[in-house]
Amino acid sequence: MNFDEIKGKAAELLEQHHEQVDAGIDRVAGLVADRIGHEEQVKSVAEMAKDILPGGQ
């Protein structure tokens, strides 16, 4: 399997399961915000991450 096949499969899985990926990003963002603070910045980065992923908002 070459890199392009792996990349394609990863993109396909992200599109199929984007709700779970988004929920995971939100959970991690909450943990990071609780630990280091800066809640607004963490939330902003989490939203940007969700926007660039295949199948995202």
Side-chain angles (χ1 to χ4, degrees):
M1 187 176 259
N2 66 33
F3 179 75
D4 289 331
E5 291 173 332
I6 294 169
K7 180 181 168 188
K9 185 64 175 176
E12 181 182 314
L13 289 170
L14 284 169
E15 286 180 31
Q16 291 174 358
H17 303 286
H18 67 89
E19 294 95 3
Q20 288 129 327
V21 173
D22 286 354
I25 290 171
D26 289 337
R27 279 193 300 266
V28 170
L31 292 171
V32 170
D34 287 346
R35 180 155 247 204
I36 66 168
H38 305 283
E39 185 173 338
E40 289 303 313
Q41 291 90 344
V42 172
K43 184 177 178 180
S44 175
V45 170
E47 291 302 317
M48 285 189 268
K50 291 191 289 187
D51 287 345
I52 64 170
L53 292 173
Q57 302 170 343

